[in-house]
Amino acid sequence: MDIRRRRLSFCISERELHSPEHSSAFAAHKLGHLLHHFLGLLKLLHELEGKENRKAQFRTAISLILDGKEYLFEGVIKGEIIREKRGDSGFGYDPVFKPEGYERTFAELGNDVKNKISHRALAVQKLCEFLQS
């Protein structure tokens, strides 16, 4: 059995002698990673400025190869990009992504809720249901 996660990304309608965590290289890497996400968030908000259609979705897929046959389990959560950053938990686009059926962003909902309704959770749930059947 071979399980692989395929990241299908984030879609918008419009168009790791001390542990590595303590090294300066690791700290610089983490800072660079955070800066990259922050700048991406700012760029996204800028590109959507003035646009009415702010629909978006997170999508992921997990591939299971069993006895030479591939099974694909996809998770999608739809929502919209709000106009300003809200909330402190999560990462990436969580502060500006408000899932359908919720009034708060992923960052405001917190990791416990997000990890139950996210695109990854939905794909893993489908994989587990398949393995249990």
Side-chain angles (χ1 to χ4, degrees):
M1 179 170 28
D2 184 10
I3 299 177
R4 297 182 185 144
R5 180 176 155 261
R6 292 183 181 165
R7 184 171 180 197
L8 297 181
S9 191
F10 181 69
C11 308
I12 298 175
S13 295
E14 287 281 321
R15 58 128 218 145
E16 315 168 222
L17 236 25
H18 294 288
S19 64
E21 295 85 20
H22 300 299
S23 74
S24 59
F26 183 81
H29 171 75
K30 289 299 278 181
L31 181 59
H33 185 72
L34 290 171
L35 184 60
H36 172 77
H37 282 289
F38 178 73
L39 292 175
L41 187 67
L42 290 178
K43 181 180 178 192
L44 173 66
L45 290 175
H46 177 72
E47 289 177 356
L48 289 176
E49 205 169 284
K51 303 223 187 233
E52 291 302 313
N53 183 357
R54 300 176 73 87
K55 293 180 183 177
Q57 64 184 13
F58 281 107
R59 166 183 259 152
T60 198
I62 298 172
S63 171
L64 168 68
I65 300 172
L66 188 60
D67 298 326
K69 185 174 180 188
E70 182 178 25
Y71 301 88
L72 193 62
F73 306 92
E74 185 178 56
V76 176
I77 184 155
K78 296 181 179 191
E80 67 176 300
I81 302 299
I82 63 170
R83 298 189 186 281
E84 72 281 333
K85 181 180 172 292
R86 293 192 331 221
D88 297 320
S89 72
F91 61 94
Y93 298 110
D94 290 356
V96 296
F97 182 77
K98 184 177 73 141
E100 282 182 1
Y102 293 84
E103 290 303 314
R104 296 184 287 164
T105 65
F106 268 166
E108 292 174 301
L109 289 170
N111 290 333
D112 288 343
V113 174
K114 176 190 164 188
N115 291 337
K116 290 177 184 166
I117 66 170
S118 76
H119 56 302
R120 292 180 188 97
L122 297 172
V124 168
Q125 181 181 2
K126 289 177 182 179
L127 170 64
C128 289
E129 289 169 0
F130 174 81
L131 292 173
Q132 292 172 353
S133 65

